[in-house]
Every structure is written in C-alpha cells, then in structure tokens.
Amino acid sequence: MIIYGTGGIDLVDFLEKELELLKESRLYRQLPGPLEGPAGRRTRINGQEVVLFSSNNYLGLAHHPRVKAAAVEAVERWGTGSGGSRLTTGNFVLHRRLEERIARFKGTEDAIVFSSGYLANLGVISALVGRGDLVLSDELNHASIIDGCRLSRATVKVFRHRDVAHVRDILLAERNSYRRCLIVTDGVFSMDGDIAPLPQLLQLAEEFQVLLIVDDAHATGVLGKRGAGTVEHFGLEGQGIIQMGTLSKALGSEGGYVAGDAILIDYLRNRARSFIFSTAPSPPVVAAAMAALDVLEEEPCLIDQLHANACQLYRGLKEMGFEVLPTESAIIPLMVGETRRALTLSAALAEKGVFVTAIRPPTVPEGTSRLRITVMATHKPEDIQRALEAFLWAGKRVGLI
Ligand SMILES: Cc1ncc(COP(=O)(O)O)c(C=O)c1O
C-alpha cells in the first residue's frame, strides 16, 4: 500500500480498525453482485436470472421504450453532458421545460431541478434555515434530510415517528425561542413505506407559523390519483407545502426537485448552494424524466397496477405468517430484527432466484433489520407467485415462519 506523508501509517491503522469493527458487528458493506441488465422485473445478477423485488423503479419507467427513446434522442441532439452549472453554461432549454412540467404536475407556481434528490434536500433545507432557526424532523427521515439539517446549522429537534402530538409539544416549548421554524418529513418513509400525517402537520405549521417540507421521493408516481404524491393523496394542493422529490425512483431517471411558489424557487436559484455549485443534470436524464411524466399522465393505470401487485404480495406474505408492515405504498418491509438473520434470509431468497435487499443499521434503527421488498407495476402474477414460493422456503429455512 502507498502511504502518503508521515501521518499515513496512523491512517492505515485507523482504517483497518474501523473496517474490522464494521465486520465484527456485521455492518461491513460490500457492493452486491452488479446487475447485468436493466432494473426490470427480471434481470441478471452474478450470471443468474433473478426476479427483482428491491428496485425503486416502481413503474418500470427506467426501461420504458418511450423514456429510453427520449434519452437517446436527447443525446443525439444535445450531447451527453451539460458542461456547466445552470447559472453558467449548463442551462439548456430542456431544463426549463422540465421545471415547468414538474410545476404543472405538482400544482405549484414553479419548480427547480437539482442533480439528485440528495442535493435537493441539502439545498432547500440549508437555504431556508440557518443559525437561530429551528427544524423539526421525523426520526425516520431520509439521510439526505438529516444531512441537510446538519449543513444548515439550525437547531434540530427530532420528533417520534409520525407523532403529531410530539411535534406540537416541541413547538409549544420551543417555537418562540427561534426565528424561522421548519417541519420536514418524508412523504412515504423510505424504509417503512408508511405515509406522513401531512394534514395534521400542515395544521400545526399554520398554527405556529412554520414552514413545511415534504420529501416525496417514494410518493411521486405512487400516491395520488395522478401519482403527484402525498400532497395530491391528501388533497392539500395550494396550501403552501414545499414539495421536494426525486426523478430517480418511479420516474426512472435521475435528479431531484423542489416545487413551490415562484418566489421560493427564485430564492433557491440564488441561495441553494447544491444547485449553484453543481453541474446541471445531463440532457438524457432531463429528457427521460420529461418523457416519464408524459407516460404517467397518459397511463395512470400503472399506479393502480403497482398497488394491486403490492397488495397481492403483502397478503401472501402475511398469510404465511411473516411480520410485514402494512403499506399503502410500493414498499413492503418484512421485519426480521437480527441483522445476521436478515442477511441469511436475503441470501436464501437469492438461491431461489429472488433478489431482495436486507437493510440493517445504521440505515434503520438497531434491532429492526429487515428485508425491504419493493414492488413494480411491471411485475407479472407469475413473478409474485415465484417470490411467494421463495419466501415460504427461505422463511422456513431461516426459522422465521
Ligand atoms: C426519502 C428520500 N429522499 C431523498 C433521496 C435521495 O434521492 P436521490 O437518490 O435521487 O439522490 C432518497 C433516495 O435515495 C430517499 O429515499
């Protein structure tokens, strides 16, 4: 190994010890066998054909012919990269079109696109609050929200998962000691698949004069009649909720966005550092997202199919005696508890050609390791049947049922 400088020896020692600790606690991570095909209902991993039940490509749009064609056409016309940030030379006609399209979809005055959902959360939170401000964040919020809160330097109070009474208590005790205040929540929680109590949070936001951001990464294309997300699901359009989301899951592309009032978006263009200091999303990515929104508009039945598939799989697993959390989204958490057991279950399923990722701390709280099963609209009844048979076999082998 090359050791740079005199501090290098200590560094190697430190790295080895850290990795050893991760291995001892079974938290050491390795990239899984790479996919040798698209993230569709069936793909190839390590030379084996598998049915995939762990992708966020919920509607199968990442390999939809129209979405792919739009990306290819954009490469031909605009090239592969944007070559600059939006405020310099990376601001293509395409970007603005996508932002207008997202605003229309979300029912807001305007929208701003970032290179990823992660960057969107970093940008919007750190631009809106800072020292002297207060953020109230659900304990199960996504890491990008947590990092956005840290970056903002605002005081952060974490409330118990979906516990509106707890939010109220914190606001009563703390609100007056701070300048601006923000409540931030996942719309659909990424590891639990449940939905934030948005109407109640909005009521509190109005009562205590607080900003409200919902992260619709897993709700876009999944919740609401048109798939517009949590705000549409609850009928809360036009009430000032700031809607953040990503293009990388049900919309089958990449990039994040914030949708809201025109003045907010104007401000973010000026103050969101992850927007200002990052190269604009590439033309194929932007074109693919737009085409995905078109497909979603024309084929809302994809959303119904997604929920029908989730329901069928959930029911089957429940009947077998697995501890599955009820879900209204595309995410079905199958609770295992112990990390070693979750990993063994995932490996046993792989033996049967069913790919489901095990999720463990620190992504989920200690003692709640699980299999995060996700369903796609494109799964066929035979895929679900095959998954259920594999779960029955693997669950018995691991002693879970
Ligand atoms: C709730 C949530 N927010 C934000 C993100 C980040 O989005 P992206 O993967 O587009 O960076 C993710 C996914 O990784 C997520 O699950």
Side-chain angles (χ1 to χ4, degrees), residues 70-104:
V72 170
E73 204 184 303
V75 169
E76 292 296 346
R77 173 144 185 225
W78 304 92
T80 52
S82 59
S85 77
R86 290 289 296 288
L87 291 170
T88 59
T89 55
N91 185 34
F92 290 24
V93 175
L94 277 179
H95 294 105
R96 194 55 204 144
R97 261 191 229 146
L98 175 60
E99 288 171 341
E100 286 166 0
R101 188 76 181 74
I102 291 171
R104 188 149 58 81

PDB file of all heavy atoms in Angstrom, residues 70-104:
ATOM      1  N   ALA A  70     -36.554   8.904 -25.609  1.00  0.00           N
ATOM      2  CA  ALA A  70     -36.369  10.340 -25.326  1.00  0.00           C
ATOM      3  C   ALA A  70     -34.932  10.615 -24.903  1.00  0.00           C
ATOM      4  O   ALA A  70     -34.330  11.625 -25.302  1.00  0.00           O
ATOM      5  CB  ALA A  70     -37.348  10.774 -24.238  1.00  0.00           C
ATOM      6  N   ALA A  71     -34.368   9.694 -24.102  1.00  0.00           N
ATOM      7  CA  ALA A  71     -32.991   9.882 -23.636  1.00  0.00           C
ATOM      8  C   ALA A  71     -32.017   9.797 -24.819  1.00  0.00           C
ATOM      9  O   ALA A  71     -31.099  10.613 -24.948  1.00  0.00           O
ATOM     10  CB  ALA A  71     -32.654   8.842 -22.571  1.00  0.00           C
ATOM     11  N   VAL A  72     -32.250   8.808 -25.682  1.00  0.00           N
ATOM     12  CA  VAL A  72     -31.358   8.618 -26.841  1.00  0.00           C
ATOM     13  C   VAL A  72     -31.420   9.843 -27.760  1.00  0.00           C
ATOM     14  O   VAL A  72     -30.397  10.386 -28.199  1.00  0.00           O
ATOM     15  CB  VAL A  72     -31.754   7.333 -27.607  1.00  0.00           C
ATOM     16  CG1 VAL A  72     -31.010   7.238 -28.935  1.00  0.00           C
ATOM     17  CG2 VAL A  72     -31.487   6.101 -26.742  1.00  0.00           C
ATOM     18  N   GLU A  73     -32.630  10.312 -27.999  1.00  0.00           N
ATOM     19  CA  GLU A  73     -32.817  11.480 -28.867  1.00  0.00           C
ATOM     20  C   GLU A  73     -32.122  12.713 -28.271  1.00  0.00           C
ATOM     21  O   GLU A  73     -31.517  13.508 -28.996  1.00  0.00           O
ATOM     22  CB  GLU A  73     -34.323  11.730 -28.987  1.00  0.00           C
ATOM     23  CG  GLU A  73     -34.732  12.483 -30.227  1.00  0.00           C
ATOM     24  CD  GLU A  73     -36.228  12.751 -30.170  1.00  0.00           C
ATOM     25  OE1 GLU A  73     -36.998  11.773 -30.046  1.00  0.00           O
ATOM     26  OE2 GLU A  73     -36.606  13.934 -30.205  1.00  0.00           O
ATOM     27  N   ALA A  74     -32.219  12.842 -26.949  1.00  0.00           N
ATOM     28  CA  ALA A  74     -31.591  13.999 -26.300  1.00  0.00           C
ATOM     29  C   ALA A  74     -30.078  13.941 -26.436  1.00  0.00           C
ATOM     30  O   ALA A  74     -29.422  14.969 -26.642  1.00  0.00           O
ATOM     31  CB  ALA A  74     -31.986  14.046 -24.825  1.00  0.00           C
ATOM     32  N   VAL A  75     -29.512  12.734 -26.363  1.00  0.00           N
ATOM     33  CA  VAL A  75     -28.058  12.606 -26.542  1.00  0.00           C
ATOM     34  C   VAL A  75     -27.687  13.045 -27.960  1.00  0.00           C
ATOM     35  O   VAL A  75     -26.730  13.794 -28.162  1.00  0.00           O
ATOM     36  CB  VAL A  75     -27.594  11.154 -26.274  1.00  0.00           C
ATOM     37  CG1 VAL A  75     -26.156  10.964 -26.725  1.00  0.00           C
ATOM     38  CG2 VAL A  75     -27.723  10.813 -24.800  1.00  0.00           C
ATOM     39  N   GLU A  76     -28.477  12.579 -28.931  1.00  0.00           N
ATOM     40  CA  GLU A  76     -28.189  12.935 -30.329  1.00  0.00           C
ATOM     41  C   GLU A  76     -28.248  14.446 -30.526  1.00  0.00           C
ATOM     42  O   GLU A  76     -27.413  15.033 -31.196  1.00  0.00           O
ATOM     43  CB  GLU A  76     -29.201  12.257 -31.278  1.00  0.00           C
ATOM     44  CG  GLU A  76     -29.080  10.734 -31.347  1.00  0.00           C
ATOM     45  CD  GLU A  76     -27.746  10.268 -31.924  1.00  0.00           C
ATOM     46  OE1 GLU A  76     -27.031  11.077 -32.511  1.00  0.00           O
ATOM     47  OE2 GLU A  76     -27.423   9.075 -31.751  1.00  0.00           O
ATOM     48  N   ARG A  77     -29.243  15.074 -29.925  1.00  0.00           N
ATOM     49  CA  ARG A  77     -29.443  16.498 -30.189  1.00  0.00           C
ATOM     50  C   ARG A  77     -28.583  17.400 -29.304  1.00  0.00           C
ATOM     51  O   ARG A  77     -28.055  18.404 -29.758  1.00  0.00           O
ATOM     52  CB  ARG A  77     -30.927  16.817 -29.987  1.00  0.00           C
ATOM     53  CG  ARG A  77     -31.232  18.271 -30.054  1.00  0.00           C
ATOM     54  CD  ARG A  77     -32.560  18.608 -30.689  1.00  0.00           C
ATOM     55  NE  ARG A  77     -32.681  20.055 -30.788  1.00  0.00           N
ATOM     56  CZ  ARG A  77     -33.755  20.725 -30.463  1.00  0.00           C
ATOM     57  NH1 ARG A  77     -34.829  20.073 -30.083  1.00  0.00           N
ATOM     58  NH2 ARG A  77     -33.801  22.044 -30.566  1.00  0.00           N
ATOM     59  N   TRP A  78     -28.448  17.019 -28.010  1.00  0.00           N
ATOM     60  CA  TRP A  78     -27.823  17.938 -27.062  1.00  0.00           C
ATOM     61  C   TRP A  78     -26.478  17.442 -26.525  1.00  0.00           C
ATOM     62  O   TRP A  78     -25.778  18.196 -25.845  1.00  0.00           O
ATOM     63  CB  TRP A  78     -28.743  18.150 -25.854  1.00  0.00           C
ATOM     64  CG  TRP A  78     -30.115  18.645 -26.174  1.00  0.00           C
ATOM     65  CD1 TRP A  78     -31.226  17.885 -26.399  1.00  0.00           C
ATOM     66  CD2 TRP A  78     -30.526  20.004 -26.312  1.00  0.00           C
ATOM     67  NE1 TRP A  78     -32.312  18.675 -26.654  1.00  0.00           N
ATOM     68  CE2 TRP A  78     -31.912  19.985 -26.600  1.00  0.00           C
ATOM     69  CE3 TRP A  78     -29.873  21.234 -26.206  1.00  0.00           C
ATOM     70  CZ2 TRP A  78     -32.656  21.148 -26.807  1.00  0.00           C
ATOM     71  CZ3 TRP A  78     -30.616  22.379 -26.397  1.00  0.00           C
ATOM     72  CH2 TRP A  78     -31.989  22.342 -26.700  1.00  0.00           C
ATOM     73  N   GLY A  79     -26.162  16.168 -26.761  1.00  0.00           N
ATOM     74  CA  GLY A  79     -24.913  15.623 -26.236  1.00  0.00           C
ATOM     75  C   GLY A  79     -25.104  14.938 -24.902  1.00  0.00           C
ATOM     76  O   GLY A  79     -26.219  14.866 -24.382  1.00  0.00           O
ATOM     77  N   THR A  80     -24.003  14.447 -24.338  1.00  0.00           N
ATOM     78  CA  THR A  80     -24.124  13.620 -23.131  1.00  0.00           C
ATOM     79  C   THR A  80     -24.080  14.413 -21.829  1.00  0.00           C
ATOM     80  O   THR A  80     -24.648  13.988 -20.823  1.00  0.00           O
ATOM     81  CB  THR A  80     -22.975  12.595 -23.076  1.00  0.00           C
ATOM     82  OG1 THR A  80     -21.748  13.305 -23.252  1.00  0.00           O
ATOM     83  CG2 THR A  80     -23.119  11.543 -24.149  1.00  0.00           C
ATOM     84  N   GLY A  81     -23.392  15.540 -21.832  1.00  0.00           N
ATOM     85  CA  GLY A  81     -23.278  16.289 -20.578  1.00  0.00           C
ATOM     86  C   GLY A  81     -23.693  17.730 -20.777  1.00  0.00           C
ATOM     87  O   GLY A  81     -23.706  18.245 -21.900  1.00  0.00           O
ATOM     88  N   SER A  82     -24.044  18.404 -19.677  1.00  0.00           N
ATOM     89  CA  SER A  82     -24.486  19.790 -19.823  1.00  0.00           C
ATOM     90  C   SER A  82     -23.306  20.768 -19.783  1.00  0.00           C
ATOM     91  O   SER A  82     -23.444  21.914 -20.187  1.00  0.00           O
ATOM     92  CB  SER A  82     -25.520  20.137 -18.751  1.00  0.00           C
ATOM     93  OG  SER A  82     -24.954  19.961 -17.482  1.00  0.00           O
ATOM     94  N   GLY A  83     -22.176  20.317 -19.250  1.00  0.00           N
ATOM     95  CA  GLY A  83     -20.953  21.125 -19.365  1.00  0.00           C
ATOM     96  C   GLY A  83     -20.859  22.349 -18.487  1.00  0.00           C
ATOM     97  O   GLY A  83     -19.924  23.132 -18.623  1.00  0.00           O
ATOM     98  N   GLY A  84     -21.794  22.542 -17.600  1.00  0.00           N
ATOM     99  CA  GLY A  84     -21.706  23.710 -16.711  1.00  0.00           C
ATOM    100  C   GLY A  84     -22.855  23.718 -15.735  1.00  0.00           C
ATOM    101  O   GLY A  84     -23.815  22.935 -15.868  1.00  0.00           O
ATOM    102  N   SER A  85     -22.765  24.599 -14.742  1.00  0.00           N
ATOM    103  CA  SER A  85     -23.893  24.697 -13.811  1.00  0.00           C
ATOM    104  C   SER A  85     -24.994  25.524 -14.481  1.00  0.00           C
ATOM    105  O   SER A  85     -24.764  26.194 -15.489  1.00  0.00           O
ATOM    106  CB  SER A  85     -23.448  25.342 -12.507  1.00  0.00           C
ATOM    107  OG  SER A  85     -23.332  26.731 -12.704  1.00  0.00           O
ATOM    108  N   ARG A  86     -26.172  25.478 -13.910  1.00  0.00           N
ATOM    109  CA  ARG A  86     -27.314  26.187 -14.521  1.00  0.00           C
ATOM    110  C   ARG A  86     -27.044  27.687 -14.623  1.00  0.00           C
ATOM    111  O   ARG A  86     -27.555  28.350 -15.530  1.00  0.00           O
ATOM    112  CB  ARG A  86     -28.570  25.936 -13.680  1.00  0.00           C
ATOM    113  CG  ARG A  86     -29.104  24.537 -13.759  1.00  0.00           C
ATOM    114  CD  ARG A  86     -29.732  24.205 -15.085  1.00  0.00           C
ATOM    115  NE  ARG A  86     -30.923  24.986 -15.388  1.00  0.00           N
ATOM    116  CZ  ARG A  86     -32.102  24.846 -14.802  1.00  0.00           C
ATOM    117  NH1 ARG A  86     -32.261  23.919 -13.876  1.00  0.00           N
ATOM    118  NH2 ARG A  86     -33.131  25.600 -15.149  1.00  0.00           N
ATOM    119  N   LEU A  87     -26.279  28.238 -13.683  1.00  0.00           N
ATOM    120  CA  LEU A  87     -26.069  29.683 -13.689  1.00  0.00           C
ATOM    121  C   LEU A  87     -24.925  30.085 -14.624  1.00  0.00           C
ATOM    122  O   LEU A  87     -24.619  31.264 -14.771  1.00  0.00           O
ATOM    123  CB  LEU A  87     -25.816  30.191 -12.271  1.00  0.00           C
ATOM    124  CG  LEU A  87     -27.054  30.111 -11.364  1.00  0.00           C
ATOM    125  CD1 LEU A  87     -26.696  30.401  -9.914  1.00  0.00           C
ATOM    126  CD2 LEU A  87     -28.140  31.069 -11.822  1.00  0.00           C
ATOM    127  N   THR A  88     -24.276  29.080 -15.252  1.00  0.00           N
ATOM    128  CA  THR A  88     -23.239  29.427 -16.233  1.00  0.00           C
ATOM    129  C   THR A  88     -23.687  28.936 -17.605  1.00  0.00           C
ATOM    130  O   THR A  88     -24.624  29.486 -18.169  1.00  0.00           O
ATOM    131  CB  THR A  88     -21.865  28.854 -15.821  1.00  0.00           C
ATOM    132  OG1 THR A  88     -21.960  27.425 -15.717  1.00  0.00           O
ATOM    133  CG2 THR A  88     -21.395  29.426 -14.493  1.00  0.00           C
ATOM    134  N   THR A  89     -23.085  27.860 -18.109  1.00  0.00           N
ATOM    135  CA  THR A  89     -23.425  27.446 -19.478  1.00  0.00           C
ATOM    136  C   THR A  89     -24.246  26.162 -19.531  1.00  0.00           C
ATOM    137  O   THR A  89     -24.479  25.615 -20.601  1.00  0.00           O
ATOM    138  CB  THR A  89     -22.135  27.190 -20.281  1.00  0.00           C
ATOM    139  OG1 THR A  89     -21.358  26.238 -19.545  1.00  0.00           O
ATOM    140  CG2 THR A  89     -21.351  28.467 -20.501  1.00  0.00           C
ATOM    141  N   GLY A  90     -24.679  25.679 -18.359  1.00  0.00           N
ATOM    142  CA  GLY A  90     -25.402  24.394 -18.343  1.00  0.00           C
ATOM    143  C   GLY A  90     -26.915  24.539 -18.363  1.00  0.00           C
ATOM    144  O   GLY A  90     -27.619  23.574 -18.116  1.00  0.00           O
ATOM    145  N   ASN A  91     -27.395  25.735 -18.663  1.00  0.00           N
ATOM    146  CA  ASN A  91     -28.843  25.984 -18.603  1.00  0.00           C
ATOM    147  C   ASN A  91     -29.472  25.787 -19.981  1.00  0.00           C
ATOM    148  O   ASN A  91     -29.532  26.711 -20.781  1.00  0.00           O
ATOM    149  CB  ASN A  91     -29.086  27.406 -18.093  1.00  0.00           C
ATOM    150  CG  ASN A  91     -30.560  27.689 -17.901  1.00  0.00           C
ATOM    151  OD1 ASN A  91     -31.330  26.801 -17.538  1.00  0.00           O
ATOM    152  ND2 ASN A  91     -30.964  28.922 -18.162  1.00  0.00           N
ATOM    153  N   PHE A  92     -29.911  24.566 -20.264  1.00  0.00           N
ATOM    154  CA  PHE A  92     -30.463  24.246 -21.577  1.00  0.00           C
ATOM    155  C   PHE A  92     -31.974  24.497 -21.587  1.00  0.00           C
ATOM    156  O   PHE A  92     -32.613  24.492 -20.531  1.00  0.00           O
ATOM    157  CB  PHE A  92     -30.232  22.764 -21.908  1.00  0.00           C
ATOM    158  CG  PHE A  92     -28.798  22.385 -22.168  1.00  0.00           C
ATOM    159  CD1 PHE A  92     -27.751  23.132 -21.665  1.00  0.00           C
ATOM    160  CD2 PHE A  92     -28.509  21.256 -22.924  1.00  0.00           C
ATOM    161  CE1 PHE A  92     -26.430  22.764 -21.893  1.00  0.00           C
ATOM    162  CE2 PHE A  92     -27.192  20.878 -23.169  1.00  0.00           C
ATOM    163  CZ  PHE A  92     -26.156  21.631 -22.654  1.00  0.00           C
ATOM    164  N   VAL A  93     -32.513  24.642 -22.770  1.00  0.00           N
ATOM    165  CA  VAL A  93     -33.972  24.779 -22.929  1.00  0.00           C
ATOM    166  C   VAL A  93     -34.674  23.626 -22.208  1.00  0.00           C
ATOM    167  O   VAL A  93     -35.725  23.811 -21.578  1.00  0.00           O
ATOM    168  CB  VAL A  93     -34.329  24.754 -24.438  1.00  0.00           C
ATOM    169  CG1 VAL A  93     -35.829  24.768 -24.653  1.00  0.00           C
ATOM    170  CG2 VAL A  93     -33.667  25.915 -25.156  1.00  0.00           C
ATOM    171  N   LEU A  94     -34.055  22.458 -22.298  1.00  0.00           N
ATOM    172  CA  LEU A  94     -34.632  21.243 -21.711  1.00  0.00           C
ATOM    173  C   LEU A  94     -34.880  21.376 -20.202  1.00  0.00           C
ATOM    174  O   LEU A  94     -35.890  20.906 -19.684  1.00  0.00           O
ATOM    175  CB  LEU A  94     -33.645  20.083 -21.878  1.00  0.00           C
ATOM    176  CG  LEU A  94     -33.595  19.304 -23.156  1.00  0.00           C
ATOM    177  CD1 LEU A  94     -32.514  18.233 -23.035  1.00  0.00           C
ATOM    178  CD2 LEU A  94     -34.941  18.657 -23.434  1.00  0.00           C
ATOM    179  N   HIS A  95     -33.929  21.990 -19.499  1.00  0.00           N
ATOM    180  CA  HIS A  95     -34.054  22.092 -18.040  1.00  0.00           C
ATOM    181  C   HIS A  95     -35.276  22.902 -17.656  1.00  0.00           C
ATOM    182  O   HIS A  95     -36.043  22.525 -16.777  1.00  0.00           O
ATOM    183  CB  HIS A  95     -32.798  22.745 -17.431  1.00  0.00           C
ATOM    184  CG  HIS A  95     -31.576  21.907 -17.576  1.00  0.00           C
ATOM    185  ND1 HIS A  95     -30.592  22.182 -18.477  1.00  0.00           N
ATOM    186  CD2 HIS A  95     -31.197  20.776 -16.931  1.00  0.00           C
ATOM    187  CE1 HIS A  95     -29.638  21.265 -18.387  1.00  0.00           C
ATOM    188  NE2 HIS A  95     -29.989  20.392 -17.457  1.00  0.00           N
ATOM    189  N   ARG A  96     -35.424  24.015 -18.333  1.00  0.00           N
ATOM    190  CA  ARG A  96     -36.555  24.887 -18.000  1.00  0.00           C
ATOM    191  C   ARG A  96     -37.876  24.173 -18.309  1.00  0.00           C
ATOM    192  O   ARG A  96     -38.842  24.239 -17.556  1.00  0.00           O
ATOM    193  CB  ARG A  96     -36.415  26.197 -18.784  1.00  0.00           C
ATOM    194  CG  ARG A  96     -37.304  27.293 -18.311  1.00  0.00           C
ATOM    195  CD  ARG A  96     -37.125  27.586 -16.810  1.00  0.00           C
ATOM    196  NE  ARG A  96     -38.330  28.210 -16.283  1.00  0.00           N
ATOM    197  CZ  ARG A  96     -38.821  28.005 -15.066  1.00  0.00           C
ATOM    198  NH1 ARG A  96     -38.226  27.190 -14.223  1.00  0.00           N
ATOM    199  NH2 ARG A  96     -39.910  28.620 -14.687  1.00  0.00           N
ATOM    200  N   ARG A  97     -37.878  23.456 -19.431  1.00  0.00           N
ATOM    201  CA  ARG A  97     -39.107  22.713 -19.800  1.00  0.00           C
ATOM    202  C   ARG A  97     -39.473  21.706 -18.711  1.00  0.00           C
ATOM    203  O   ARG A  97     -40.622  21.553 -18.342  1.00  0.00           O
ATOM    204  CB  ARG A  97     -38.889  21.965 -21.115  1.00  0.00           C
ATOM    205  CG  ARG A  97     -39.462  22.699 -22.293  1.00  0.00           C
ATOM    206  CD  ARG A  97     -39.437  21.771 -23.509  1.00  0.00           C
ATOM    207  NE  ARG A  97     -38.868  22.461 -24.637  1.00  0.00           N
ATOM    208  CZ  ARG A  97     -38.135  21.912 -25.588  1.00  0.00           C
ATOM    209  NH1 ARG A  97     -37.854  20.629 -25.570  1.00  0.00           N
ATOM    210  NH2 ARG A  97     -37.688  22.626 -26.584  1.00  0.00           N
ATOM    211  N   LEU A  98     -38.459  21.013 -18.236  1.00  0.00           N
ATOM    212  CA  LEU A  98     -38.715  20.014 -17.187  1.00  0.00           C
ATOM    213  C   LEU A  98     -39.256  20.688 -15.923  1.00  0.00           C
ATOM    214  O   LEU A  98     -40.201  20.199 -15.292  1.00  0.00           O
ATOM    215  CB  LEU A  98     -37.435  19.224 -16.865  1.00  0.00           C
ATOM    216  CG  LEU A  98     -37.553  18.239 -15.693  1.00  0.00           C
ATOM    217  CD1 LEU A  98     -38.634  17.177 -15.955  1.00  0.00           C
ATOM    218  CD2 LEU A  98     -36.218  17.556 -15.400  1.00  0.00           C
ATOM    219  N   GLU A  99     -38.679  21.827 -15.566  1.00  0.00           N
ATOM    220  CA  GLU A  99     -39.138  22.517 -14.352  1.00  0.00           C
ATOM    221  C   GLU A  99     -40.596  22.961 -14.499  1.00  0.00           C
ATOM    222  O   GLU A  99     -41.390  22.835 -13.554  1.00  0.00           O
ATOM    223  CB  GLU A  99     -38.219  23.701 -14.045  1.00  0.00           C
ATOM    224  CG  GLU A  99     -36.864  23.213 -13.537  1.00  0.00           C
ATOM    225  CD  GLU A  99     -35.807  24.296 -13.405  1.00  0.00           C
ATOM    226  OE1 GLU A  99     -35.963  25.358 -14.028  1.00  0.00           O
ATOM    227  OE2 GLU A  99     -34.814  24.062 -12.707  1.00  0.00           O
ATOM    228  N   GLU A 100     -40.927  23.440 -15.670  1.00  0.00           N
ATOM    229  CA  GLU A 100     -42.328  23.852 -15.878  1.00  0.00           C
ATOM    230  C   GLU A 100     -43.256  22.638 -15.822  1.00  0.00           C
ATOM    231  O   GLU A 100     -44.365  22.691 -15.304  1.00  0.00           O
ATOM    232  CB  GLU A 100     -42.463  24.584 -17.226  1.00  0.00           C
ATOM    233  CG  GLU A 100     -41.880  25.982 -17.164  1.00  0.00           C
ATOM    234  CD  GLU A 100     -41.679  26.631 -18.533  1.00  0.00           C
ATOM    235  OE1 GLU A 100     -41.992  25.985 -19.570  1.00  0.00           O
ATOM    236  OE2 GLU A 100     -41.186  27.763 -18.558  1.00  0.00           O
ATOM    237  N   ARG A 101     -42.752  21.533 -16.360  1.00  0.00           N
ATOM    238  CA  ARG A 101     -43.526  20.287 -16.387  1.00  0.00           C
ATOM    239  C   ARG A 101     -43.764  19.782 -14.958  1.00  0.00           C
ATOM    240  O   ARG A 101     -44.854  19.333 -14.614  1.00  0.00           O
ATOM    241  CB  ARG A 101     -42.727  19.261 -17.205  1.00  0.00           C
ATOM    242  CG  ARG A 101     -43.408  17.985 -17.526  1.00  0.00           C
ATOM    243  CD  ARG A 101     -44.415  18.222 -18.645  1.00  0.00           C
ATOM    244  NE  ARG A 101     -45.103  16.980 -18.966  1.00  0.00           N
ATOM    245  CZ  ARG A 101     -46.022  16.427 -18.218  1.00  0.00           C
ATOM    246  NH1 ARG A 101     -46.390  17.007 -17.101  1.00  0.00           N
ATOM    247  NH2 ARG A 101     -46.612  15.306 -18.591  1.00  0.00           N
ATOM    248  N   ILE A 102     -42.729  19.850 -14.140  1.00  0.00           N
ATOM    249  CA  ILE A 102     -42.853  19.397 -12.743  1.00  0.00           C
ATOM    250  C   ILE A 102     -43.830  20.296 -11.990  1.00  0.00           C
ATOM    251  O   ILE A 102     -44.687  19.812 -11.237  1.00  0.00           O
ATOM    252  CB  ILE A 102     -41.471  19.386 -12.034  1.00  0.00           C
ATOM    253  CG1 ILE A 102     -40.592  18.290 -12.625  1.00  0.00           C
ATOM    254  CG2 ILE A 102     -41.618  19.189 -10.530  1.00  0.00           C
ATOM    255  CD1 ILE A 102     -39.142  18.317 -12.172  1.00  0.00           C
ATOM    256  N   ALA A 103     -43.732  21.608 -12.208  1.00  0.00           N
ATOM    257  CA  ALA A 103     -44.633  22.549 -11.521  1.00  0.00           C
ATOM    258  C   ALA A 103     -46.089  22.232 -11.894  1.00  0.00           C
ATOM    259  O   ALA A 103     -46.971  22.208 -11.028  1.00  0.00           O
ATOM    260  CB  ALA A 103     -44.273  23.974 -11.889  1.00  0.00           C
ATOM    261  N   ARG A 104     -46.318  21.954 -13.157  1.00  0.00           N
ATOM    262  CA  ARG A 104     -47.683  21.621 -13.595  1.00  0.00           C
ATOM    263  C   ARG A 104     -48.157  20.331 -12.918  1.00  0.00           C
ATOM    264  O   ARG A 104     -49.274  20.247 -12.406  1.00  0.00           O
ATOM    265  CB  ARG A 104     -47.686  21.469 -15.124  1.00  0.00           C
ATOM    266  CG  ARG A 104     -49.050  21.324 -15.744  1.00  0.00           C
ATOM    267  CD  ARG A 104     -49.095  21.918 -17.150  1.00  0.00           C
ATOM    268  NE  ARG A 104     -48.137  21.341 -18.078  1.00  0.00           N
ATOM    269  CZ  ARG A 104     -48.302  20.193 -18.730  1.00  0.00           C
ATOM    270  NH1 ARG A 104     -49.387  19.483 -18.563  1.00  0.00           N
ATOM    271  NH2 ARG A 104     -47.370  19.745 -19.556  1.00  0.00           N
TER     272      ARG A 104
END
